Amino acid sequence: MLSKILSATTMGIEACLVEVEVDVSSGMPSFQIVGLPDTAVQESRERVRSAIKNSGFVFPPGRVTVNLAPASFKKTGSDFDFPIALGILSATKQLSFSLAEDTVVVGELSLSGDLKPVSGILPIAHFLSQVRNGFRLFLPGGNAREGGVARGISVFGFKNLSQVYDFVQGKIELSPVSVPLENLFSVSAKYPDLCEVKGQRQGKRALEITASGGHHLLFMGPPGSGKTMLARRLPSLLPLLSLEEAIEVTKIHSVAGVLPSHKPLLTMRPFRSPHHTISDVALIGGGQWPRPGEISLAHHGVLFLDEALEFRRNVLEALREPLETGQITISRAQMSTTYPANFTLVLACNPCPCGFLGDSKRTCTCSPHQVSRYRSKLSGPFLDRVDLQVEIPRVEFSEMADKKKEETSLEVRKRVQRARALQSERLKMVGLKLNAEMGPQEIKKFCSLTAPAENLLRQAMDNLALSGRSYHRILRVARTIADLGESDAIEIEHVAEAIQYRVLDRKYWE
């Protein structure tokens, strides 16, 4: 007997339907799975066999063949246990389960027949909701809330095979799971507040510009000057995620298997801070079957590299492509996958191995060779991609002891939102949202300089020997500074401030 069950799997952060065909015939006992299954899918044979027996059903003694169609791409993971088991029960008439084309089944089985959560459910549910309304999605109970985020489909969560049998036979009734999204967004995001930072006016100003235009940022200064403290407060200055952005962020975390079980939808901007021993594969993504890395997990959020000069150079250089394109394509012999990676990069580092080069209180003990070797991990092309480079000096006692109330993140965020609104209105005709996304054509169109501002920029290009990429970066930052000042034209003071954020690499790297 032949039965067909619809299932689905993920490819990157997108999903596609998979038809699970099960044929049970007489012959020597065997259980074969075809259709390019990986090891995890092949192992489902033992899980399915035990789950069926331990749930009170009979596993067929003859020849069982399972085909996962289409067979043109590799099937990975344990997502197909559930549909394979239902297909066998349907083919052997133990379950009068005539699933129409509107029911999709995904899930992993334990040996006892219990259903266990799997990763990548939100991409599947979102895909089904985009295809058409009316789909039914059968899931493990642990994934029901994640699937319930999608609209236009009916999501049912089950504990085990026995409960599925009772539901299909009409012995029990279950209501579709639906998650009220307004309740998820009603919880205010809790980030460290900027008012906790004493002093560091220039650092705070750089954070405001970074948040307004989506620019990348480098902090350099001695240990204890507040670089990390400032960086960790950048998410508090960013606007809250929209529903579209939240779904995209959650899909990435779901595919990576790091979505918290109690959070069906991530409504806070990600803040990722990997350790400096991280490999390039863990940072940008990869593996035999490509998985998202830290840069994708930081999508629509902040990627913070503390002690950036302690990272291996090849790891830092791997960031160059995603910094330009906002995505990363991972190619392997079996497949090629593209993950979004539109993040704000924040780097923090010391000026030398001991950390006190240029410090006002302590003397540097490093030799010129040690300093040069230490800084060489940040190449010129990599630094060119960092829009703002800011020196963070030691905080003096008078600033630390000052009782004056500092500006809160909420107050700064209001200015950031106004600046972003101006950018969005200006750039909507070219399909962009932030100044940092502008290319040469958009810069030429939207970054008009006054005559004094143009003369200052010409002198800076000649005297500082800045590259063409630095020229465009200065104009982007100047445009953001002008937007913060609600100015249509880019004045000389806007360009002057933007230029000062480009001179740090010349000070420390020449």
Side-chain angles (χ1 to χ4, degrees):
M1 295 296 294
L2 177 68
S3 68
K4 296 181 180 180
I5 306 289
L6 270 184
S7 186
T9 189
T10 56
M11 300 182 67
I13 65 168
E14 302 303 324
C16 63
L17 291 175
V18 175
E19 191 175 62
V20 179
E21 300 176 309
V22 179
D23 178 70
V24 178
S25 58
S26 59
M28 294 293 291
S30 65
F31 189 0
Q32 298 295 326
I33 299 178
V34 297
L36 285 183
D38 73 345
T39 303
V41 179
Q42 290 284 9
E43 290 175 348
S44 68
R45 293 176 298 177
E46 302 306 319
R47 292 193 296 271
V48 170
R49 189 194 307 270
S50 297
I52 288 178
K53 291 180 178 179
N54 292 327
S55 297
F57 302 103
V58 178
F59 190 85
R63 180 182 179 86
V64 179
T65 304
V66 177
N67 178 44
L68 305 177
S72 57
F73 64 90
K74 194 79 170 178
K75 316 302 187 303
T76 63
S78 56
D79 304 19
F80 301 106
D81 293 5
F82 191 11
I84 290 174
L86 291 186
I88 292 174
L89 296 178
S90 178
T92 57
K93 301 300 183 181
Q94 299 180 69
L95 185 65
S96 57
F97 196 41
S98 178
L99 286 181
E101 292 184 355
D102 63 350
T103 302
V104 177
V105 183
V106 180
E108 177 185 336
L109 285 170
S110 69
L111 298 182
S112 64
D114 291 336
L115 285 163
K116 306 180 71 173
V118 295
S119 60
I121 290 301
L122 182 58
I124 293 173
H126 189 256
F127 165 75
L128 296 178
S129 69
Q130 297 295 313
V131 173
R132 70 170 185 265
N133 291 337
F135 266 111
R136 291 197 307 172
L137 182 58
F138 285 12
L139 297 171
N143 289 127
R145 279 175 53 79
E146 180 183 345
V149 170
R151 292 294 178 262
I153 62 174
S154 300
V155 178
F156 295 90
F158 300 95
K159 296 179 181 179
N160 48 48
L161 279 181
S162 299
Q163 189 183 27
V164 178
Y165 175 83
D166 292 339
F167 176 73
V168 173
Q169 298 299 112
K171 295 181 179 180
I172 62 173
E173 292 185 2
L174 294 176
S175 300
V177 177
S178 181
V179 178
L181 300 181
E182 58 274 10
N183 292 346
L184 299 177
F185 280 93
S186 65
V187 179
S188 59
K190 296 181 180 179
Y191 300 106
D193 200 280
L194 194 63
C195 67
E196 299 166 355
V197 182
K198 293 290 187 179
Q200 301 299 4
R201 302 299 177 196
Q202 188 175 24
K204 292 179 179 179
R205 173 65 172 174
L207 282 181
E208 184 176 345
I209 296 171
T210 295
S212 299
H215 306 284
H216 305 304
L217 173 64
L218 166 67
F219 283 143
M220 176 172 284
S225 58
K227 304 183 296 295
T228 302
M229 194 173 186
L230 283 167
R232 291 190 178 277
R233 280 147 183 79
L234 177 57
S236 68
L237 309 183
L238 299 172
L240 300 181
L241 287 173
S242 65
L243 177 58
E244 180 183 354
E245 291 173 335
I247 289 177
E248 194 170 9
V249 170
T250 307
K251 286 166 67 174
I252 298 171
H253 284 70
S254 177
V255 168
V258 296
L259 182 66
S261 58
H262 63 284
K263 289 185 178 181
L265 185 70
L266 298 178
T267 58
M268 294 177 63
R269 290 191 180 272
F271 181 87
R272 307 293 296 187
S273 181
H275 193 261
H276 65 262
T277 57
I278 192 173
S279 67
D280 52 350
V281 171
L283 184 66
I284 69 171
Q288 183 179 5
W289 307 113
R291 308 295 291 177
E294 289 290 332
I295 62 172
S296 296
L297 294 174
H299 184 57
H300 288 316
V302 178
L303 177 66
F304 176 46
L305 302 186
D306 201 5
E307 302 297 342
L309 292 176
E310 299 295 337
F311 285 76
R312 291 190 292 274
R313 177 163 180 155
N314 68 300
V315 173
L316 295 175
E317 292 299 310
L319 290 173
R320 285 163 59 173
E321 177 193 343
L323 286 178
E324 288 288 332
T325 62
Q327 63 183 23
I328 182 68
T329 300
I330 305 167
S331 298
R332 296 293 182 266
Q334 294 87 351
M335 63 187 302
S336 179
T337 305
T338 299
Y339 289 109
N342 187 11
F343 58 91
T344 299
L345 177 66
V346 180
L347 306 167
C349 61
N350 298 327
C352 66
C354 77
F356 297 106
L357 181 66
D359 186 51
S360 60
K361 302 292 184 181
R362 299 186 61 174
T363 303
C364 175
T365 59
C366 305
S367 67
H369 175 71
Q370 288 176 316
V371 175
S372 176
R373 182 177 179 181
Y374 183 69
R375 296 174 185 162
S376 65
K377 293 184 181 180
L378 290 182
S379 65
F382 181 83
L383 278 173
D384 272 349
R385 288 168 167 82
V386 181
D387 298 353
L388 289 87
Q389 303 162 14
V390 182
E391 190 169 11
I392 304 298
R394 175 189 296 274
V395 180
E396 300 296 335
F397 173 80
S398 58
E399 293 178 307
M400 292 295 296
D402 191 356
K403 303 298 182 181
K404 180 182 177 182
K405 185 179 179 181
E406 300 287 341
E407 198 171 28
T408 65
S409 293
L410 180 59
E411 294 171 325
V412 178
R413 190 196 302 166
K414 291 178 180 178
R415 296 198 296 268
V416 169
Q417 290 174 329
R418 287 197 296 269
R420 286 198 170 206
L422 291 174
Q423 296 169 52
S424 179
E425 180 65 24
R426 181 191 309 119
L427 298 173
K428 66 180 181 181
M429 65 181 66
V430 292
L432 302 178
K433 293 183 178 180
L434 297 174
N435 290 331
E437 300 171 352
M438 291 192 298
Q441 290 184 345
E442 291 79 25
I443 291 174
K444 184 177 181 180
K445 184 175 183 179
F446 299 116
C447 297
S448 58
L449 302 176
T450 62
E454 186 174 352
N455 290 333
L456 177 62
L457 183 55
R458 182 185 298 109
Q459 295 175 19
M461 291 291 296
D462 294 339
N463 296 336
L464 300 176
L466 298 175
S467 67
R469 184 180 287 112
S470 295
Y471 168 77
H472 288 137
R473 301 284 176 178
I474 290 175
L475 287 178
R476 291 178 187 172
V477 174
R479 179 68 269 172
T480 300
I481 296 171
D483 289 338
L484 282 169
E486 301 183 8
S487 172
D488 292 332
I490 300 178
E491 305 288 349
I492 187 171
E493 60 268 22
H494 304 143
V495 173
E497 185 176 359
I499 290 173
Q500 78 172 4
Y501 296 126
R502 299 297 311 179
V503 298
L504 187 59
D505 57 340
R506 300 303 181 267
K507 175 180 177 181
Y508 284 106
W509 270 263
E510 287 189 357

